């Protein structure tokens, strides 16, 4: 082990607060001994903080219309080749019911930024799903504070809005017409409104450095997030980043493992993007710090059109397939399915 890695690993093992240099040292773990030590430590912290339960959050991708032009995303408004779809409110509620019957304790409603769903329409959907006794997470992008407030009043428990990258300049390049400050403002509002907040970033974006990724983890710590989605960049052919290389799977594992050390109480999903890059990717992530999986509940006929990146897994499966496949995966790892909503892991303040 190189001395600088060993020193930062020791500090992490002693539960000390890691600074930017420590985080860079951990993210730079070399294959072999260093990576193994990092993964072992992260898996131990996961076991202590989150236990052996793996929470399943059923995701409904209810619309692929999007007004944004994010340079990495296949749903971007400029992608004229994409067949666009919208699920009607009653259909979204029916799919959610299917998810509840499959035993999911959380329903996640995700879409492109689609103004067709006005705040009252989404509030109505949230209210119907809340009657089923599950947690509801929204992931529909940037909206005015009043709209977030309305959904919170309707019973929404959590909100997922990834900051995507903590490097403001890189953010500006990848998000034409958007502002990093505004995204942070949205995260602040969500916090003030009492949501359990999820954020996160993309790993392996063109031009991104290890120091940028360290800043991502420091920002997540500063935001005190309840959840962090950390997934590799996967180039989509119908975007300006089509020719760029994908993010590295190994780097993604190192980011997930280091995140478990920097924000030990956060729920960390083994992302679908990791599963897309490697058939056993999600299993490995679960053994290196992750404790959540987000199975797809979207009706099969729409799945192929919700390709934020290409070759997304499970586009030919149905909701039940994903439910039972994942239960098998979790059991094979010696873990068990979470029960109930799987709310925040943070200690309740005295
Ligand atoms: N419109 C919503 C949901 C976006 S899709 C919002 O703004 O929050 C969910 C996530 O997919 C995004 O936050 C982004 O991090 C990720 N994503 C999109 N395209 C991607 C790509 N090509 N590779 C990896 N992740 C991608």
């Amino acid at each position: 082990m190189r001395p600088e890695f060993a020193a930062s690993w020791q500090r992490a093992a002693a539960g000390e607060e890691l600074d930017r240099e420590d985080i860079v040292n951990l993210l730079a773990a070399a294959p072999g001994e260093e990576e193994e030590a990092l993964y072992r430590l992260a898996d131990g912290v996961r076991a202590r903080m989150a236990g052996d339960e793996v929470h399943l959050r059923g995701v409904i991708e209810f619309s692929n219309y999007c007004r944004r032009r994010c340079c990495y995303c296949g749903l971007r408004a400029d992608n004229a080749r994409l067949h666009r779809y919208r699920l009607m409110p009653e259909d979204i509620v029916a799919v959610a019911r299917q998810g509840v019957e499959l035993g999911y304790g959380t329903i996640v409603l995700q879409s492109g930024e689609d103004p067709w769903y006005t705040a009252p329409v989404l509030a109505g959907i949230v209210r119907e799903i809340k009657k089923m006794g599950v947690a509801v997470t929204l992931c529909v992008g940037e909206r005015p504070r009043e709209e977030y407030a309305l959904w919170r009043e309707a019973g929404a428990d959590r909100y997922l809005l990834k900051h995507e990258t903590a490097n403001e300049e890189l953010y500006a390049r990848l998000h034409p017409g958007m502002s990093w400050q505004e995204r942070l403002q949205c995260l602040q509002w969500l916090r003030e409104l009492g949501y359990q907040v999820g954020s996160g970033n993309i790993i392996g974006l063109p031009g991104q450095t290890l120091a940028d990724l360290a800043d991502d983890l420091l920002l997540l710590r500063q935001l005190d997030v309840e959840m962090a989605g950390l997934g590799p960049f996967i180039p989509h052919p119908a975007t300006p980043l089509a020719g760029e290389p994908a993010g590295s799977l190994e780097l993604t594992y190192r980011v997930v493992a280091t995140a478990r050390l920097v924000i030990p109480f956060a729920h960390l999903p083994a992302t679908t993007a990791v599963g897309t890059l490697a058939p056993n990717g999600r299993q490995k992530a679960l053994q290196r710090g992750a404790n959540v999986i987000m199975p797809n509940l979207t009706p099969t006929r729409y799945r192929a059109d919700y390709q934020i990146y290409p070759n997304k897994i499970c586009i030919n499966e149905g909701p039940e397939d994903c439910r039972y496949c994942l239960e098998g995966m979790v059991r094979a790892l010696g873990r068990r399915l979470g029960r109930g909503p799987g709310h925040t892991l943070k200690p309740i303040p005295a």
Side-chain angles (χ1 to χ4, degrees), residues 9 28 36 43 51 71 75 87 112 135 178 221 247 261 278 288 294 328 339 343 347:
W9 186 92
E36 279 157 33
D43 196 44
C71 291
L75 306 190
L87 265 68
M178 293 173 76
R221 184 167 75 191
L261 307 177
R288 296 166 175 186
M294 300 174 70
R339 285 162 183 267
H343 281 311

Side-chain angles (χ1 to χ4, degrees), residues 68-81 84 170 172-176 205-206 233-245 308-310:
R68 300 293 196 183
R69 305 173 55 221
C70 306
C71 291
Y72 42 80
C73 185
L75 306 190
R76 67 202 308 271
D78 311 51
N79 184 3
R81 278 187 267 163
R84 305 275 172 174
L170 182 59
R173 247 186 294 143
L174 297 176
H175 302 92
L205 289 166
F233 163 64
I234 304 179
H236 189 293
T239 65
L241 301 185
E244 301 289 339
I308 48 187
Y309 46 78

